[in-house]
Amino acid sequence: KTGSGKTAAFAIPIVQTVRSDRYVQALVLCPTRELCEQVAKEIRRLGRRLPGFQVLILCGGTPGRPQRDQLERGVHVVVGTPGRVLDHLDRGNLALADIQTLVLDEADRMLDMGFEDEMSAILNAAPLDRQTVLFSATFEPGIERVAQAYLHEPLKIEVAPEPETRPAITQIVYDSNDKTGDLLRVLHERKPASAIVFCNLKVTVAELAETLQKHGVAAGALHGDLEQEDRNKVMAMFRNESLRVLVATDVAARGLDVENLELVVNYDLSIHGEDYVHRIGRTGRAGREGVAITLATPRERVRLAEYDVERGFTVEHRELSNTFGDQETPYVSLEAKMATVYISGGRKDKVRPGDILGALTGETGGLKGSEIGKIEIFDRFAYVGLERGRAAHVVEKLKSGRIKGKTFIIRLIR
């Protein structure tokens, strides 16, 4: 079940058994960069008290040379996508001879994305006496084939959620012939603090995010053509409430963990019922209530009805009220309460959240704790959310100050 602690189920044993020597002892394969980021973050959190503990992400969209250099220096755990991991294997940068644990996370998704050959090559390069752990939402023929070929007498554990444990998600469908206008009406009516709008095409995501911005919505775009640096920036801004609405393809549907997400909107209905489940599962987490809205054409209503039958959903069909009256170009005031600040220091520079917090609340920054949002530390940089009205002034003061005795580049992200 989404949000049930699956990552911890394999991350805790890895952290408990890792040795201090710097060589690759565990490999986790994931289908997307977003899931890799989330898994690596959880493993680092669980291993934060281990001296010198190193977790490396190997994904496309970022230069390969720094990854190679880090592998040469030594790491304990590698988390990566099959394509980039195999590339480093072929180049001789990555050695799997001594790994103890190999995890296939969301193996069904990796097969759907066409990674079977890469997965097979990686599994064949790993030692036979490893422990292999495979997670899959389904047990289709492809998964069974991989399990039979690469798992030795595996123990199969099947976890099915009880009906009463289903997340409290109200699912609503509106008939829509003008999806952009109807989306604006939904946002104007509900005024969510945070919402994800799902589209099927990258070009739709980019165009819709730009349209929302023109209509007064603090919106950002997330899709597969973005470089990793841009993905990190957009997600940091969304998590620290510098963006109210994230427009995304299904690349964000799995592995994306956002606290207190109020609303999910299907601008386009997903092609597969499984993706619909993952989309709406971004809301209604950890016992909270959530809302999932679908803007449906007549054809999409038929497909949604099929999902209802397959999955036992209860979807309410409602009429969308005309909240704008006679306005032809409605303006939706969904401004963000926070702004995002970039700092050119990260984990590799020994910068910790407490160091940034100290600078912001000290004499230089002069902020109250309530004016500071989420702080996210990456290898060589960090993002922090600040109360929007104070952010520009604080950034100018920080430029002349120091964090942990060092001077860093500090700028406001627009």
Side-chain angles (χ1 to χ4, degrees):
K1 177 189 169 186
T2 299
S4 61
K6 177 189 64 173
T7 303
F10 63 78
I12 290 173
I14 288 174
V15 169
Q16 285 182 320
T17 57
V18 73
R19 297 191 178 103
S20 59
D21 297 339
R22 281 199 183 184
Y23 63 91
V24 180
Q25 299 171 43
L27 170 65
V28 183
L29 292 180
C30 305
T32 66
R33 286 180 277 188
E34 284 69 30
L35 186 57
C36 286
E37 290 279 356
Q38 181 181 328
V39 168
K41 183 178 179 181
E42 180 70 2
I43 296 175
R44 289 187 183 116
R45 185 185 69 81
L46 291 167
R48 65 189 181 277
R49 300 198 183 279
L50 297 179
F53 184 55
Q54 292 292 317
V55 180
L56 176 64
I57 298 174
L58 297 182
C59 293
T62 54
R65 179 171 291 183
Q67 296 174 351
R68 180 201 67 188
D69 294 344
Q70 185 65 41
L71 286 167
E72 288 181 356
R73 289 192 292 269
V75 301
H76 298 98
V77 180
V78 168
V79 182
T81 50
R84 181 55 66 94
V85 168
L86 183 59
D87 181 57
H88 281 290
L89 270 175
D90 290 342
R91 293 174 184 271
N93 302 331
L94 174 64
L96 300 182
D98 296 313
I99 68 165
Q100 302 157 10
T101 308
L102 198 158
V103 180
L104 305 174
D105 196 10
E106 298 198 1
D108 54 329
R109 185 67 167 177
M110 287 192 280
L111 291 182
D112 288 344
M113 295 171 70
F115 283 135
E116 184 168 1
D117 290 345
E118 289 87 345
M119 291 165 60
S120 298
I122 293 166
L123 287 159
N124 284 324
L128 293 176
D129 60 349
R130 68 182 185 264
Q131 181 186 34
T132 308
V133 188
L134 183 153
F135 290 89
S136 177
T138 61
F139 204 71
E140 297 171 352
I143 293 296
E144 192 166 2
R145 184 170 61 248
V146 170
Q148 289 179 349
Y150 298 106
L151 275 65
H152 178 65
E153 297 182 359
L155 173 66
K156 183 181 177 183
I157 301 172
E158 192 167 354
V159 181
E162 298 296 327
E164 63 269 20
T165 65
R166 285 187 176 182
I169 302 173
T170 301
Q171 299 177 61
I172 301 168
V173 61
Y174 295 120
D175 292 336
S176 180
N177 295 315
D178 173 18
K179 290 198 174 186
T180 302
D182 289 341
L183 174 61
L184 289 168
R185 289 182 173 85
V186 167
L187 296 176
H188 178 72
E189 184 178 288
R190 293 187 173 269
K191 294 181 172 53
S194 61
I196 297 180
V197 178
F198 282 106
C199 307
N200 291 342
L201 301 176
K202 289 177 282 190
V203 65
T204 309
V205 167
E207 291 175 354
L208 183 59
E210 186 176 343
T211 299
L212 291 178
Q213 291 165 8
K214 290 178 180 178
H215 285 79
V217 180
L222 182 69
H223 55 74
D225 283 351
L226 293 179
E227 295 294 333
Q228 189 62 41
E229 181 181 350
D230 294 323
R231 289 179 183 225
N232 289 338
K233 180 178 73 173
V234 169
M235 283 309 306
M237 293 176 71
F238 188 54
R239 282 192 288 257
N240 69 31
E241 300 180 6
S242 295
L243 296 174
R244 296 275 290 269
V245 177
L246 182 68
V247 187
T249 55
D250 280 307
V251 71
R254 294 187 183 227
L256 181 64
D257 191 16
V258 180
E259 296 177 6
N260 304 327
L261 183 67
E262 293 181 16
L263 175 66
V264 167
V265 179
N266 293 298
Y267 185 86
D268 299 317
L269 185 63
S270 56
I271 304 300
H272 303 292
E274 191 66 32
D275 288 325
Y276 177 82
V277 173
H278 281 277
R279 285 182 179 187
I280 69 172
R282 298 305 96 201
T283 186
R285 294 164 74 88
R288 298 184 180 90
E289 295 184 0
V291 176
I293 290 175
T294 300
L295 304 176
T297 63
R299 182 175 294 181
E300 287 172 326
R301 280 194 65 170
V302 172
R303 197 158 75 244
L304 184 60
E306 293 173 355
Y307 296 170
D308 292 354
V309 173
E310 290 174 8
R311 314 261 171 194
F313 291 145
T314 302
V315 179
E316 302 177 26
H317 294 265
R318 299 183 187 175
E319 289 189 9
L320 188 59
S321 58
N322 184 7
T323 55
F324 296 122
D326 296 328
Q327 293 183 57
E328 292 185 6
T329 55
Y331 188 84
V332 181
S333 181
L334 274 186
E335 297 179 351
K337 69 175 184 177
M338 306 295 281
T340 298
V341 174
Y342 166 89
I343 301 171
S344 66
R347 277 189 296 266
K348 302 291 186 184
D349 306 291
K350 308 299 183 184
V351 173
R352 303 181 184 278
D355 302 322
I356 296 175
L357 187 63
L360 293 171
T361 57
E363 290 185 12
T364 303
L367 291 174
K368 301 175 184 176
S370 59
E371 297 173 313
I372 303 170
K374 187 178 288 291
I375 299 172
E376 295 194 38
I377 308 285
F378 296 84
D379 282 349
R380 291 294 182 187
F381 60 91
Y383 291 117
V384 56
L386 301 182
E387 195 275 319
R388 181 166 292 275
R390 300 285 308 278
H393 175 68
V394 170
V395 166
E396 289 304 313
K397 292 180 68 176
L398 286 177
K399 286 179 180 179
S400 59
R402 290 174 177 267
I403 298 175
K404 208 171 185 178
K406 299 179 182 179
T407 301
F408 295 105
I409 297 171
I410 298 173
R411 67 173 184 266
L412 200 58
I413 300 296
R414 302 292 182 183

